[in-house]
Amino acid sequence: WGCKTPNLTPHIHNLIKIYPNMKLVYIVRKPSDVIKSYLNTNIQEYNNVLSSITMWIFRFYYMKKLKYTSKTILFSNLISDIDNEKKSLFEYCNIKKVIFTEFENPDLVYEHMSNVKKKIGTVSFHKDLKIDLKWLDNIYYKEINNEKD
């Protein structure tokens, strides 16, 4: 079972207590892409750039604290080398065979969840921001590179 929502981030410690053997995979995207995606959802909590930036920073640093219990995958690596990333992910999760099951997800009625069943791709269709977020992307790249050292 998997869940893609970042809304569970503040509850990860509780989930680890309930499911101590769970495998946590954290897929990290470039912040400017995430913020554009947040703004595209029409969810009130994300309806401005400042709240979207704050949400990204909170979730990013919260998940960094969980590094010892999780595997981090860079979204850019996932889309550029999906076969290798899948192999690494399956090994981490000790998955020998994958069976895909379709089910009706009641959350799919929300516009921001409409991409859940779409194939992973490299093209994003988001609102054009009138603000430069390169500074936040630079912080992200610095943090990610520090993890590798």
Side-chain angles (χ1 to χ4, degrees):
W1 177 77
C3 179
K4 80 165 222 150
T5 178
N7 296 333
L8 290 176
T9 304
H11 309 288
I12 295 295
H13 281 309
N14 291 330
L15 289 171
I16 292 170
K17 287 177 187 174
I18 296 168
Y19 305 103
N21 296 323
M22 77 180 220
K23 300 287 185 170
L24 183 64
V25 178
Y26 181 47
I27 299 175
V28 185
R29 282 175 64 199
K30 191 170 73 170
S32 57
D33 288 342
V34 174
I35 289 161
K36 289 175 189 177
S37 183
Y38 282 165
L39 292 170
N40 206 40
T41 65
N42 296 321
I43 296 174
Q44 187 173 353
E45 290 83 6
Y46 306 142
N47 67 357
N48 67 65
V49 174
L50 182 58
S51 63
S52 294
I53 290 171
T54 303
M55 190 67 68
W56 182 87
I57 290 171
F58 165 75
R59 290 178 173 147
F60 180 74
Y61 285 103
Y62 191 92
M63 291 305 293
K64 278 183 63 95
K65 287 195 263 180
L66 295 174
K67 187 176 176 183
Y68 64 94
T69 61
S70 66
K71 175 177 181 58
T72 300
I73 296 176
L74 302 182
F75 185 76
S76 55
N77 292 351
L78 182 62
I79 59 175
S80 66
D81 190 5
I82 194 164
D83 291 333
N84 210 23
E85 290 296 327
K86 280 194 316 190
K87 181 181 176 191
S88 172
L89 176 62
F90 291 171
E91 286 172 4
Y92 170 72
C93 294
N94 198 24
I95 295 173
K96 305 288 187 227
K97 183 178 181 182
V98 178
I99 299 171
F100 291 100
T101 305
E102 289 286 328
F103 68 96
E104 273 311 305
N105 182 340
D107 290 337
L108 295 181
V109 298
Y110 300 107
E111 182 183 348
H112 69 280
M113 296 291 283
S114 64
N115 68 345
V116 169
K117 290 188 174 186
K118 292 181 183 173
K119 187 175 180 174
I120 294 173
T122 58
V123 179
S124 296
F125 300 97
H126 299 297
K127 294 178 182 175
D128 290 326
L129 291 180
K130 305 293 187 237
I131 185 171
D132 183 1
L133 293 173
K134 287 181 185 151
W135 62 273
L136 189 57
D137 289 343
N138 290 336
I139 292 170
Y140 159 76
Y141 288 122
K142 183 179 178 195
E143 290 289 330
I144 292 300
N145 288 329
N146 284 342
E147 285 183 10
K148 293 178 184 176
D149 295 338

